[in-house]
Amino acid sequence: MAVGARKLFTSALGLVLAGTLLGGPPASAASPDDAAPGSVGPQMLYTYYDVALAPNAAPAGTAVQLHGYVGDASSRRPFVEATVDVYFNPKGTAPRRAVDRVVTDEDGWFQRTYRPSTSGTYDIIAQESGEPRGTKMATFTARSTNETIRSGGISASKNGFTAKMRVTTQDVVTGVEPQTVYLDAGILSPGGNTSFDPRPYLVTRRAEGQYSAGEFLTPGWGRWSTRYSAVQTYRMSAVHPAGLYDVYYNYKIGHYDDYWDRDGSGTLRNLYVKMPHKPITTIRVRRASTTTISASSTSFTGSRNIELKGSVRKVQLISATKAANRWAPNTAVKLYFDPAGSAGPVYKKTVRTNSSGVYRTTAKTSKSGKWIAKYVGSSLQAPSERSVTITVR
């Protein structure tokens, strides 16, 4: 018997023994609404749960799948058309709230896709024939990012079963100091499992510095936190190639051929589906830039010509192993004026930095508002902007 299968069957058997020793399930159980917000009561005897989030960590607002099985471990019977109430208990002081009611299918399986905006815990409360059958929880960790979120999926089929995986990550803006890049993966298919070491990985399309194009290796760590969720991390800085990186997963996903062991053999076979070797999603890595702006006068009466000046700096690779934040000569800077109120910014002119990375120009100003300097960036350099507020009395 496969290790994962043995664990599953042993867990179910443990619940059966617990029910036998304690004289079976209690005659009555509290309503889900009787539990204090944010709490999870004890699991009912004989009931078997397998509940997970896939992935269980990702940037806030991205799709995660809550799924699981509910059934009777003693009779190896799934709860068909059982009701599953889903609550979300956000981290912090906000109250727990009801978010969904789901009905299980013929295998006791249920699934829903959510987009949590903050870290927290999903509380799952199942009922069969109107009676509570216990509770379970699954925790979500929201990752903070200001960059574009990327998500994609792969699937493959074998013996009538389709295995699915989703990977969620984000674009990266690198500075001189390293930062952590996360690849969060989730298996979306019923009975899915993997205890294998391989996780999603990055492949760079562009060679630069000491790195060639191809599989990207840099210090980091990775793990499967559950049978359905994994994370692979990279420590990435400006010495690593800027450009496009593809995300791959080049291994197998397992599933149980009979999740409930209906024939009573005591063996749950793992069948393995080889996933296709193709990009799951693509991220863009760019090096950071910094734009500044100041005005010769920020408060005056009536119309006036003021001098606007500032600079642009770019994080650049200066050798095969070293990067630095340097002045950016001959770089275009777009200037916008955003008047006070709701009109929005209006493009005014484009100026260029001199050999020292500094620009200066004059601009006639008769209204209160903000002058905005924007460097639009490139495929390898991230954009940046800054503003200065003007008050005209």
Side-chain angles (χ1 to χ4, degrees), residues 122-380:
Y122 285 95
D123 294 347
I124 300 95
I125 302 174
Q127 300 180 54
E128 190 205 22
S129 300
E131 295 187 8
R133 291 288 183 171
T135 60
K136 200 76 170 177
M137 67 169 60
T139 300
F140 172 74
T141 300
R143 304 200 190 282
S144 61
T145 180
N146 295 321
E147 304 305 318
T148 301
I149 297 170
R150 308 291 183 180
S151 184
I154 53 172
S155 64
S157 298
K158 179 181 178 180
N159 296 345
F161 176 83
T162 299
K164 301 177 182 178
M165 172 182 281
R166 176 187 294 140
V167 177
T168 301
T169 181
Q170 65 283 320
D171 285 352
V172 181
V173 175
T174 58
V176 175
E177 297 299 321
Q179 62 177 295
T180 302
V181 179
Y182 297 92
L183 306 182
D184 290 301
I187 298 175
L188 309 182
S189 37
N193 66 88
T194 180
S195 58
F196 309 117
D197 182 65
R199 293 166 297 274
Y201 60 93
L202 288 174
V203 173
T204 176
R205 298 185 188 179
R206 182 172 174 269
E208 191 175 21
Q210 63 179 336
Y211 294 89
S212 59
E215 185 170 350
F216 179 69
L217 301 175
T218 185
W221 61 273
R223 64 188 175 92
W224 284 93
S225 56
T226 72
R227 292 192 303 114
Y228 290 96
S229 290
V231 59
Q232 176 68 54
T233 67
Y234 293 91
R235 293 289 285 167
M236 184 178 288
S237 72
V239 301
H240 302 121
L244 297 177
Y245 287 68
D246 296 311
V247 181
Y248 284 86
Y249 177 76
N250 187 27
Y251 211 69
K252 298 176 287 187
I253 291 178
H255 76 97
Y256 296 115
D257 62 338
D258 178 10
Y259 192 88
W260 294 102
D261 187 28
R262 291 180 175 92
D263 62 5
S265 65
T267 300
L268 302 178
R269 289 189 306 149
N270 262 329
L271 303 179
Y272 298 105
V273 182
K274 180 69 170 63
M275 305 307 287
H277 187 243
K278 65 179 183 180
I280 303 172
T281 188
T282 299
I283 67 172
R284 182 178 296 278
V285 176
R286 293 187 285 186
R287 297 188 175 103
S289 70
T290 305
T291 300
T292 66
I293 185 173
S294 63
S296 57
S297 180
T298 58
S299 181
F300 50 86
T301 301
S303 179
R304 180 180 296 189
N305 283 323
I306 59 175
E307 182 183 62
L308 301 173
K309 68 176 182 179
S311 63
V312 179
R313 298 181 70 154
K314 299 176 183 177
V315 175
Q316 302 173 57
L317 188 68
I318 58 177
S319 72
T321 59
K322 186 176 180 181
N325 192 17
R326 290 190 164 180
W327 300 107
N330 193 31
T331 298
V333 177
K334 292 187 175 183
L335 296 174
Y336 297 79
F337 185 71
D338 186 359
S342 59
V346 178
Y347 169 75
K348 293 298 184 181
K349 65 171 76 174
T350 296
V351 297
R352 302 193 78 86
T353 59
N354 61 21
S355 59
S356 300
V358 176
Y359 70 89
R360 53 172 36 92
T361 187
T362 59
K364 190 171 184 178
T365 305
S366 59
K367 297 179 180 179
S368 296
K370 293 189 298 184
W371 279 99
I372 304 169
K374 292 184 179 183
Y375 163 60
V376 299
S378 67
S379 61
L380 303 180

Side-chain angles (χ1 to χ4, degrees), residues 33-153:
D33 293 332
D34 292 337
S39 69
V40 178
Q43 182 170 295
M44 295 284 288
L45 302 178
Y46 294 111
T47 301
Y48 180 75
Y49 268 104
D50 180 15
V51 174
L53 278 173
N56 58 10
T62 56
V64 297
Q65 180 174 291
L66 176 70
H67 58 221
Y69 287 96
V70 183
D72 190 318
S74 61
S75 64
R76 303 183 180 91
R77 176 180 65 88
F79 291 162
V80 179
E81 296 186 356
T83 299
V84 178
D85 289 313
V86 181
Y87 298 81
F88 185 70
N89 184 25
K91 186 177 181 180
T93 59
R96 184 178 74 163
R97 66 182 187 276
V99 296
D100 209 348
R101 172 165 284 183
V102 191
V103 176
T104 60
D105 65 12
E106 65 273 12
D107 289 316
W109 168 264
F110 68 91
Q111 63 183 40
R112 278 289 193 274
T113 298
Y114 304 113
R115 295 180 178 272
S117 59
T118 186
S119 297
T121 300
Y122 285 95
D123 294 347
I124 300 95
I125 302 174
Q127 300 180 54
E128 190 205 22
S129 300
E131 295 187 8
R133 291 288 183 171
T135 60
K136 200 76 170 177
M137 67 169 60
T139 300
F140 172 74
T141 300
R143 304 200 190 282
S144 61
T145 180
N146 295 321
E147 304 305 318
T148 301
I149 297 170
R150 308 291 183 180
S151 184

